[in-house]
Amino acid sequence: MSLPLEDIRLDESAATAGPWQAVVWNDPVNLMSYVAYVFRTYFGYSRERAEQLMLAVHHVGHAVVAEGAREQMELHVQAMHDYGLWATVREGGA
């Protein structure tokens, strides 16, 4: 017995519902000041929040810069790539 098409669609949407995270990774190329600038410019973070995230990237190796729907996090990651930063999308809580 196969599942109705509606059930399959519901299962697929539940799998992508989130939460998802946009993660920026440390790299040997970008200056710390530039990373903070990107966070302020793109996300609109305050100077203090942008610097906290930048320091996490620098000292921990990565920082979660946004959380939400997968599609939105993919857009954020693409924007980070456009700025020259290394970024990925991952499931929240990872």
Side-chain angles (χ1 to χ4, degrees), residues 36-47 49-50 65 83:
Y37 164 81
V38 170
F39 295 162
R40 291 183 68 206
T41 301
Y42 179 77
F43 292 106
Y45 289 138
S46 68
R47 180 179 304 275
R49 182 66 178 143
V65 294
Y83 278 101

Side-chain angles (χ1 to χ4, degrees), residues 24-30 32 54 56-63 86:
V24 172
W25 299 88
N26 195 24
D27 66 57
V29 178
N30 292 295
M32 292 167 43
M54 172 274 295
V57 169
H58 182 70
H59 292 294
V60 178
H62 68 281
W86 293 356

Side-chain angles (χ1 to χ4, degrees), residues 29-81:
V29 178
N30 292 295
L31 297 174
M32 292 167 43
S33 59
Y34 177 70
V35 174
Y37 164 81
V38 170
F39 295 162
R40 291 183 68 206
T41 301
Y42 179 77
F43 292 106
Y45 289 138
S46 68
R47 180 179 304 275
E48 294 77 18
R49 182 66 178 143
E51 289 179 2
Q52 287 174 341
L53 291 168
M54 172 274 295
L55 288 171
V57 169
H58 182 70
H59 292 294
V60 178
H62 68 281
V64 174
V65 294
E67 291 184 294
R70 182 176 182 172
E71 294 78 14
Q72 186 63 50
M73 296 309 100
E74 289 172 351
L75 291 173
H76 290 327
V77 165
Q78 182 59 55
M80 295 299 96
H81 292 171

